Amino acid sequence: MKALITGASSGIGREIAKYLASLGYDLIVAARSTDKLYELRDEIKNVDVRVITIDLSREQDSYDLYEHLKEEKIDFLVNNAGFGAYGKFNDVVLDTEIKLIHTNIVAVHVLTKLFLKDMISRNSGHILNVGSSAGFLPGPTFAGYYASKNYVVRLTEAIHEELRRDKVNVGISVLCPGPVKTNFNDVANVKFCIRGLSAEYVAKYAVDKTLKNKMIIIPGFEMKALKFLQHFVGEKTLTKISYNVQIKKN
């Protein structure tokens, strides 16, 4: 068995890689930080680990990654690479937003589509797209990031239903955690009001649920409760609440 994990140099991606290794998957780990990837490789002893340095904010890199691996059988794809940019829409630098869109949306779309075709032809495989609880909400002062995760959630839901209807033995899931204790906060320049779950717990929970073909994966009771309560709040009110929560992250 072989797994490809993007954004594997830290946080959830790193922990997913380690957990998949414990399940016996050989790994292909991809990210921009070569040193951290080699540190991860040296930490994992029981399976083969291959390192690929790549920057998925460049659209072509997604195609190049697939071309490099298309002859191999990828049994488990984890689209984890992503980042956030905090600030009012008018203030965030456009170039940063374009890189965010390429990383959080385009790369997920391209890699899902290309590797999914191979999995369908074999009638086996799993894809885990790492979204966020942000994927269920509007995000004033974090608009690009929230919009990108909305895309990932809805894309995954649609593909999951298509595969179910076609009775294809390929699973696709989306992980939608709340705050997780990773370096995401530093990159996005925010701090969260809700206590964060450990990346190790979230990774194990996500992989286990993906292997059971759970469509939407929400770790932690607090986020499950918030997702349930959201159904009773109008969109306008939800947007106002979201703004008040987001502004406190600065």
Side-chain angles (χ1 to χ4, degrees):
M1 299 183 297
K2 188 175 294 181
L4 167 62
I5 305 100
T6 68
S9 59
S10 64
I12 295 172
R14 183 183 182 88
E15 295 301 327
I16 287 176
K18 289 163 63 177
Y19 184 57
L20 285 171
S22 76
L23 297 179
Y25 285 85
D26 290 327
L27 304 179
I28 301 170
V29 292
R32 291 180 300 172
S33 179
T34 307
D35 291 345
K36 290 182 179 179
L37 290 177
Y38 278 111
E39 288 174 6
L40 174 62
R41 188 191 68 174
D42 293 342
E43 188 177 338
I44 296 172
K45 305 297 183 183
N46 62 308
V47 297
D48 180 67
V49 182
R50 194 187 328 170
V51 168
I52 297 178
T53 305
I54 199 163
D55 183 356
L56 292 175
S57 70
R58 300 186 298 238
E59 182 175 332
Q60 186 59 43
D61 280 25
S62 298
Y63 293 97
D64 291 345
L65 181 60
Y66 174 75
E67 286 298 317
H68 185 63
L69 299 174
K70 66 180 181 180
E71 300 302 325
E72 303 192 35
K73 181 188 174 190
I74 302 299
D75 301 288
F76 202 124
L77 168 64
V78 181
N79 283 312
N80 174 68
F83 70 96
Y86 182 81
K88 292 183 179 179
F89 182 76
N90 192 48
D91 297 333
V92 178
V93 177
L94 180 58
D95 184 59
T96 300
E97 291 177 308
I98 297 302
K99 289 180 179 178
L100 183 152
I101 289 168
H102 279 297
T103 306
N104 295 16
I105 296 177
V106 176
V108 172
H109 190 112
V110 170
L111 295 176
T112 296
K113 192 173 191 73
L114 296 178
F115 283 105
L116 180 63
K117 286 180 178 291
D118 295 338
M119 291 178 179
I120 290 174
S121 69
R122 299 193 307 265
N123 198 35
S124 67
H126 296 278
I127 297 176
L128 172 58
N129 290 329
V130 177
S132 168
S133 58
F136 306 126
L137 297 163
T141 74
F142 221 170
Y145 176 75
Y146 272 58
S148 73
K149 293 306 182 180
N150 271 266
Y151 185 95
V152 172
V153 170
R154 297 309 183 195
L155 178 72
T156 305
E157 288 177 324
I159 298 170
H160 188 281
E161 180 62 12
E162 290 173 1
L163 295 174
R164 188 187 71 82
R165 297 271 181 163
D166 292 341
K167 295 181 171 58
V168 179
N169 189 36
V170 177
I172 186 166
S173 305
V174 59
L175 171 61
C176 298
V180 181
K181 297 172 184 174
T182 69
N183 67 350
F184 174 90
N185 303 21
D186 297 330
V187 174
N189 193 29
V190 298
K191 52 187 177 182
F192 290 102
C193 305
I194 302 173
R195 65 182 180 86
L197 298 172
S198 74
E200 182 179 6
Y201 169 80
V202 171
K204 183 179 186 302
Y205 187 86
V207 170
D208 289 345
K209 293 296 184 181
T210 300
L211 292 172
K212 294 178 180 178
N213 200 25
K214 176 78 170 175
M215 183 172 68
I216 297 177
I217 301 168
I218 305 175
F221 173 78
E222 289 177 334
M223 296 315 302
K224 286 186 176 73
L226 288 173
K227 176 68 169 65
F228 175 76
L229 292 173
Q230 172 187 335
H231 295 295
F232 303 98
V233 181
E235 287 296 323
K236 188 173 182 179
T237 301
L238 196 62
T239 304
K240 290 178 179 179
I241 293 171
S242 181
Y243 177 87
N244 290 331
V245 171
Q246 290 298 118
I247 205 70
K248 294 176 182 178
K249 292 180 179 178
N250 189 2

